[in-house]
Amino acid sequence: MTKRGIGFLMGVAMVAAAPASAETLRQAIAAALEGNPELAAARARQEALVETPNQARAAGRLTAGATGSAGYDRLGYDSTGVQSGATSALGGVSATLPIWTGGRVSSSVRAASGDVAAGDEALRDVEADVLERVVGAYADLLYTQQAVEVARVGIQRLDSQVAETRSRFGLGQATKTDVAQLEAQRASVVSNLIDAEGAVATAAAAYRAIVGRDAGTLDATIGVPTALPRTLADARDAAEKSNPILLAQQRRVDAANARIDQARADRAPAVDLTGAYGRGVQWTGGHATGFDSAANAGLSLRIPLLTGGLVASRVRQAEANARAERFDVDAAARGVVRGADTAWASLTAAQGRLKAGAEGLTAADLALKGVRAEYGFGLRSTIDILVADQSYRSAQLAVARAQVDVLIAQAALLRATGRMGRGAFD
């Protein structure tokens, strides 16, 4: 169905023109992206994860440290019988520069970078999840607001019909039963209005929780997202290429492969360039005596000989984890394609209901107008009026429900294909 056609049908679904200050879906999405606490927490966790490659690189960089100590030494008694002692202080600086790590640092950096890449995709999925729930909350509140308007307009219409029937009763052209039937219908619609107002309060609370602010009246004129795939094949292809859940799992495979190399690197030798400098001072009897300074520099070689099977076990463990991650990729691929299929089917069905509902609403409107005109000439009974009025209100609600079902299905399809973002409903 074309964008123009859907837009027309959505216009039909509106039961009243939205005020100029009505909240739009685009505004709701922007508010959620700025202030949703779940999304903010996910962003903060990703910022923390981004630091892990830097921490891994630090293992291959120059490190230096300073040490110092001080103490008192009891030296015994001098010739006069007075106890003597000395205070001493030692200080030094040492530095280490890894020359060869056997691949430990590079594999650790690759593993951490894979984790960061997976985290980026996971964050994108969290954002898509939040936005899909924003669309759902917007759609639910929009429907309940339209249901309230349908009930209010219905009550106004029935009030007019009751007044007309009472006048006809006064002229002997209608019975008291006719008046009672219309009044009973009105009471039923009043009950519907009360239920709809309660549903609005509930939907508004859900909207406020996800968006972060009260909504007011919502704008029902929502265009079709340009990023929607045109065919089922396009939807599947987009899901396999862009779905963040699948992409995140693929990045986890990269990290798992790097951890195999990281585990194997523990078998390799390591060479460090080391150096140190130190000096000490001693105070005895009020006089300071400096020790000779000491300095050294050289190479340090570490070669693992026996690890008790620890390294081999870690390698086998890393290989098993990598296999599991690859199987998870296959499972994720199937899952995202299934999600695209489901979302496409839901959208197709919702669009069909919206089109059929719009046609039904047009027919119900025409029928109601015709029955009311014929009632004025005595060609229709009160029962005919009641049935036509009920059918018209049901058709209005059916179109409103189909409209929001289309919106919800569009959001689900956008998320399944990895295209749910800030500008999805611009």
Side-chain angles (χ1 to χ4, degrees):
M1 186 173 293
T2 66
K3 179 177 180 179
R4 183 177 179 182
I6 290 295
F8 170 74
L9 293 178
M10 287 188 172
V12 173
M14 297 175 60
V15 297
S21 60
E23 171 116 326
T24 66
L25 179 56
R26 180 180 181 181
Q27 292 171 332
I29 288 175
L33 287 175
E34 293 299 325
N36 185 272
E38 297 176 46
L39 187 53
R43 288 168 177 162
R45 281 191 286 270
Q46 182 61 14
E47 289 174 3
L49 187 60
V50 166
E51 296 300 322
T52 55
N54 292 328
Q55 296 169 10
R57 292 186 185 97
R61 294 171 178 166
L62 175 67
T63 58
T67 59
S69 64
Y72 176 81
D73 296 325
R74 180 176 176 180
L75 303 178
Y77 296 90
D78 59 17
S79 58
T80 62
V82 177
Q83 185 177 4
S84 63
T87 301
S88 60
L90 301 174
V93 177
S94 62
T96 302
L97 176 63
I99 302 299
W100 172 254
T101 64
R104 292 175 178 84
V105 173
S106 60
S107 59
S108 178
V109 170
R110 285 192 291 113
S113 298
D115 290 339
V116 171
D120 286 336
E121 296 299 335
L123 176 59
R124 197 160 68 89
D125 184 62
V126 171
E127 179 180 292
D129 174 65
V130 170
L131 295 187
E132 185 181 14
R133 285 188 284 140
V134 169
V135 174
Y138 190 99
D140 287 343
L141 182 55
L142 178 61
Y143 173 74
T144 56
Q145 288 180 349
Q146 290 180 334
V148 166
E149 189 64 22
V150 166
R152 286 176 178 169
V153 173
I155 290 172
Q156 293 173 2
R157 190 170 55 249
L158 285 170
D159 284 342
S160 175
Q161 191 66 51
V162 168
E164 179 184 345
T165 304
R166 283 175 176 168
S167 297
R168 290 169 60 86
F169 172 71
L171 297 174
Q173 298 175 352
T175 67
K176 195 164 184 66
T177 301
D178 294 329
V179 176
Q181 287 176 325
L182 287 167
E183 290 176 339
Q185 180 89 312
R186 183 187 183 282
S188 176
V189 179
V190 169
S191 177
N192 293 339
L193 175 60
I194 294 171
D195 289 340
E197 289 174 338
V200 165
T202 300
Y207 182 94
R208 184 168 53 251
I210 188 68
V211 176
R213 67 187 186 194
D214 291 324
T217 302
L218 300 183
D219 188 350
T221 55
I222 304 169
V224 176
T226 57
L228 278 178
R230 301 302 179 186
T231 65
L232 177 57
D234 290 341
R236 290 176 174 175
D237 183 65
E240 291 176 333
K241 290 180 179 179
S242 303
N243 186 282
I245 295 176
L246 178 57
L247 295 181
Q249 187 56 46
Q250 291 172 345
R251 302 293 82 77
R252 293 188 188 102
V253 170
D254 296 338
N257 290 333
R259 287 191 171 89
I260 296 176
D261 295 337
Q262 186 178 3
R264 289 172 177 165
D266 287 337
R267 298 169 175 166
V271 179
D272 298 333
L273 176 62
T274 62
Y277 173 83
R279 184 175 178 81
V281 179
Q282 184 180 67
W283 289 270
T284 306
H287 302 284
T289 304
F291 297 127
D292 291 337
S293 60
N296 66 76
L299 294 175
S300 173
L301 174 65
R302 290 171 287 124
I303 302 176
L305 297 178
L306 295 175
T307 63
L310 178 62
V311 173
S313 176
R314 286 177 175 172
V315 171
R316 293 193 300 270
Q317 183 183 50
E319 290 173 341
N321 286 334
R323 288 197 303 273
E325 297 291 357
R326 287 192 289 271
F327 286 130
D328 285 341
V329 167
D330 294 338
R334 296 183 184 185
V336 300
V337 171
R338 176 187 176 186
D341 289 350
T342 301
W344 180 267
S346 297
L347 178 57
T348 301
Q351 288 173 338
R353 290 196 302 273
L354 181 54
K355 183 178 180 180
E359 293 172 353
L361 178 58
T362 300
D365 181 43
L366 180 61
L368 178 58
K369 292 176 180 177
V371 168
R372 292 187 65 185
E374 293 167 1
Y375 179 78
F377 292 101
L379 301 176
R380 293 286 183 173
S381 67
T382 303
I383 293 296
D384 294 328
I385 289 284
L386 296 177
V387 171
D389 181 79
Q390 178 64 41
S391 297
Y392 180 66
R393 282 186 286 106
S394 296
Q396 285 181 304
L397 293 176
V399 172
R401 181 72 262 176
Q403 176 187 359
V404 299
D405 286 346
V406 167
L407 183 58
I408 291 172
Q410 287 173 342
L413 185 57
L414 287 172
R415 184 183 178 189
T417 54
R419 298 175 178 178
M420 174 63 86
R422 180 184 293 270
F425 286 90
D426 287 349

